[in-house]
Structures are given as structure tokens and as C-alpha cells.
Amino acid sequence: MKEILFKYLRKYTSFSEEEQQVIASEIQVDEYKKGSILLRQGDIPTKCYFILKGCIRQYAVDASGREVTSNFYTEEQAVVIYNEHSESKSSNYMLTCLEDCVLVVGNLATINDTYNKYPQLESMTNRMTVEIFGSVQEDFANFIASSPEERFKSLLHKRPGLIDRVPQHQLASYLGVTPESLSRIKKRISHL
């Protein structure tokens, strides 16, 4: 599992093999069962995650009790709710494990201590954040400008395995359609 960590350390830092081993030994890696709640809506986030194995759903429950899925995170993706801009600092989202997960767990309160100890990790995090932000901006712009069928085709192209990993009603919510509409879209695309 930790080979994934080494991949990122090699890509974004110039740490020696020895330094990488030391960092990997200090990193907290935890296993979570399917259904585990990592963050509740309204709680103040204290942790960040990097997925080594598994799938996490980000969603919100609106005033009528409806769950609205805003993201799915899978292997080699970072999961963090940034809300320092919020007056209450509380999360608008829930994070739940859709599968058994193996996660690198970071403590947001001590992240600066880690960066002081290993300055290249801060640089690595910044570079990864810029890449993620650019991707999120592009995905959001494409989402707004596309039809539900185009959104589904894009998802098939960018994240083909996700469709078999998440329940249809959650996937439909993520795409902004009803489960029935998603079934019709899938049927139309399968005939192409």
C-alpha cells in the first residue's frame, strides 16, 4: 500500500530513499469499514485523508432531507474539506466510506508541525492542491455546460470503474439526474 505514497514522494519531492522510508514510517495509515463516517455535516473538520484503497462519498443533506452527492474519491485522491473561510468553520458535507478503505490520515491541527519538519511535504501538498483545483475548475465548467448524457459519457471516459463501485441513486445525484433518467441514459448509450 505504501508504494502509492512513495510514488507521490518521488514525483513531487527530492527526498532520498532513506528519507522516504522515515516519512512513510511516521505517516498514520488507518483502515475504515464500509459505512464508516469520516465527517458529519455540521462538524468542524480536523482530519484530511489520502486514499490508498477504497471509495469515499462526499454529500450534503438538504433542508428537505434529500442527499445530494457532490463527489466520489477513490485511490490516489486527497480528501479534505477546506472551510477556513466559513465563519462557523463547520462542514457543509458528510464524508462516508462506500467501501472498506485504507487511508493516510493527517491531523489538520498539526500539519504545520509536519511541514516545518519536512518542508518539501508542504511544497508537494501545494503542487497537488494546484493540480486538483485546476481539475475541479475544469470539471465544474464542463458539468455546467453539458447535458446529463454528456456528463455520464465524460464520467465513463474519465472514471470508468466508478460506475460499478457506487449505488445508482448516488451516481444519479452526482450527475444531477434522477435514477430513472440515469437508467434511460445508460440504455441509450449501450445501444450506440
Side-chain angles (χ1 to χ4, degrees), residues 117-129:
K117 188 173 181 179
Y118 302 107
Q120 286 190 61
L121 289 181
E122 183 173 18
S123 174
M124 179 180 96
T125 302
N126 289 340
R127 288 179 62 196
M128 289 174 68
T129 302

Side-chain angles (χ1 to χ4, degrees), residues 39 44-49 79-84 89 105-115:
L39 178 66
I44 296 173
T46 59
K47 308 256 185 240
C48 58
Y49 306 93
V79 183
V80 63
I81 302 296
Y82 290 111
N83 62 348
E84 287 300 312
K89 308 283 189 250
V105 181
N107 185 333
L108 294 174
T110 60
I111 198 97
N112 286 332
D113 294 338
T114 304
Y115 290 157

Side-chain angles (χ1 to χ4, degrees), residues 58-72:
Q58 176 182 308
Y59 65 100
V61 180
D62 69 14
S64 67
R66 184 177 63 112
E67 294 181 0
V68 180
T69 301
S70 51
N71 212 339
F72 296 102

Side-chain angles (χ1 to χ4, degrees), residues 27-38:
I27 289 176
Q28 179 183 343
V29 177
D30 291 334
E31 295 183 17
Y32 294 86
K33 293 289 182 196
K34 177 180 179 177
S36 296
I37 297 172
L38 303 175

Side-chain angles (χ1 to χ4, degrees), residues 1-6 29 52-53 102:
M1 273 305 148
K2 286 198 175 181
E3 183 52 40
I4 295 170
L5 289 176
F6 295 131
V29 177
L52 298 175
K53 177 181 173 282
V102 178

Side-chain angles (χ1 to χ4, degrees), residues 12-170:
Y12 292 105
T13 72
S14 60
F15 286 126
S16 68
E17 291 292 323
E18 215 172 278
E19 290 169 316
Q20 290 179 39
Q21 292 293 335
V22 170
I23 291 167
S25 72
E26 293 179 5
I27 289 176
Q28 179 183 343
V29 177
D30 291 334
E31 295 183 17
Y32 294 86
K33 293 289 182 196
K34 177 180 179 177
S36 296
I37 297 172
L38 303 175
L39 178 66
R40 293 185 186 281
Q41 191 170 337
D43 286 355
I44 296 173
T46 59
K47 308 256 185 240
C48 58
Y49 306 93
F50 183 81
I51 302 174
L52 298 175
K53 177 181 173 282
C55 181
I56 295 173
R57 175 181 174 225
Q58 176 182 308
Y59 65 100
V61 180
D62 69 14
S64 67
R66 184 177 63 112
E67 294 181 0
V68 180
T69 301
S70 51
N71 212 339
F72 296 102
Y73 301 94
T74 55
E75 289 79 8
E76 299 186 37
Q77 290 187 307
V79 183
V80 63
I81 302 296
Y82 290 111
N83 62 348
E84 287 300 312
H85 64 282
S86 167
E87 198 171 302
S88 71
K89 308 283 189 250
S90 63
S91 173
N92 293 323
Y93 304 101
M94 302 239 341
L95 295 173
T96 304
C97 296
L98 291 183
E99 302 171 341
D100 290 346
C101 293
V102 178
L103 309 174
V104 173
V105 181
N107 185 333
L108 294 174
T110 60
I111 198 97
N112 286 332
D113 294 338
T114 304
Y115 290 157
N116 288 334
K117 188 173 181 179
Y118 302 107
Q120 286 190 61
L121 289 181
E122 183 173 18
S123 174
M124 179 180 96
T125 302
N126 289 340
R127 288 179 62 196
M128 289 174 68
T129 302
V130 167
E131 287 179 15
I132 292 166
F133 183 70
S135 178
V136 167
Q137 274 188 314
E138 184 178 320
D139 289 347
F140 182 70
N142 288 336
F143 183 89
I144 296 297
S146 61
S147 69
E149 189 166 320
E150 290 167 331
R151 290 180 207 145
F152 182 72
K153 286 179 182 177
S154 176
L155 186 66
L156 278 175
H157 175 73
K158 288 183 174 182
R159 301 178 76 185
L162 187 64
I163 290 158
D164 297 325
R165 295 175 77 174
V166 301
Q168 172 137 331
H169 70 281
Q170 293 174 3

Side-chain angles (χ1 to χ4, degrees), residues 167-184:
Q168 172 137 331
H169 70 281
Q170 293 174 3
L171 189 62
S173 171
Y174 176 66
L175 293 170
V177 298
T178 64
E180 297 78 19
S181 294
L182 180 55
S183 290
R184 287 191 292 274

